Amino acid sequence: MELANEELGMAPSRRPAGPRRDLDPLYALAAAVLITVGSWYLLKELAALLRPLVLAVFLAYMILPAHQAIRQRVHAKFAGPLLVLLVAMALLGLALIIYSNLVDLKAELPQLVERARGLIERLRTWGRDHLPTWVLDPVPDTTRAEAETTARLRTLASNLVNTASNFLAEALIVVFYLIFLLLEARRFPARVRAGFPAVQADRVLATIASINRAISSYLRAKTLASLVTALPVVVVLWAFGVSFPGMWGVLAFVGNFIPYVGSLVALALPVLLAFLELEPLSRPLSVLALLVLVQFVTNSFIEPRLTARAVDLNPLVVMIALAFWGLCWGAVGMVLAVPLTVVLKIVWESIPLTRPLARLMAEE
């Protein structure tokens, strides 16, 4: 038909392509939904494999600068094994300390429960003497309520010990991953160039270099800010005699990596323990005031200067990332939420199709 039209001097007829073009957004939306669902399923199912690996990768970012410093003092052949040994000892020692502290906390739980009961009873007595009668509702069955509270606290303590056991096992896996990552770090660019064409290899290495700069800058600033937060916390709790100051310092250090909510959780638990352990009331109140002051100074003055340009993410994007990775990988996912989102943003910036989404994620 088209040949006959050309012989007659007429333009060839073409089928309208409008309906097919109208379906392209639907195809793109369906593909995005399938990719999101598939990614969520794989992240959940492969959490035991991927979570230690990602932790090892980000620990490698923190350790590589120390490796360069050690190489200046020790022969290159011994610098890597020495660094791996020191890091393994530090991680395993930290995991053992946290595990032993949680076991001791579980042993002291009955005493803490009794102190909590006494504190609650004193508050009720004060309330009956100074507050209207309708403010405090009578408890119909005090014995049953106390038994349920005790059972819940015992369950919580058991869960904490189980969590510490899982943390110790995961720390061992992280150490093994970290050893091989440090050994392969120097050979990775050569492997990329051997596996891809020259132009594509340069593009991949340029993207990886951007990720390295962003993650190194973020981790360096965040680690320094977390140390500035954790050290005063340990000193304050040790000075007032609160139990397990080292464990609460580790919690403050790790919690500072979780934006917005991590610092609050890291502050609440040692303050609660201080109110149960210390007397008179002025001592735990002093602990509360000093820890709030430390958090205020760190979050308002020190950390903004250190991390001002380390992360270029919209606060709403950070909150969504916290929710997503928290649901996916728990507390570890919340710690890794910001650096993983930074990596995703940099990768999207290198792809023309997703570059507008990366610009939407930026703060400015």
Side-chain angles (χ1 to χ4, degrees), residues 13 85 95 127 129 141 240-241 263 317 323:
S13 61
L85 179 62
D129 296 337
D141 191 353
F240 280 87
S263 299
V317 173

Side-chain angles (χ1 to χ4, degrees), residues 119-155:
L119 181 60
I120 293 173
E121 188 59 33
R122 279 186 289 175
L123 290 174
R124 284 186 170 275
T125 303
W126 182 88
R128 294 190 191 100
D129 296 337
H130 297 85
L131 298 176
T133 55
W134 55 269
V135 175
L136 294 176
D137 296 331
V139 180
D141 191 353
T142 306
T143 305
R144 181 180 177 183
E146 290 179 354
E148 290 179 354
T149 303
T150 303
R152 290 174 182 173
L153 289 175
R154 287 176 180 173
T155 302

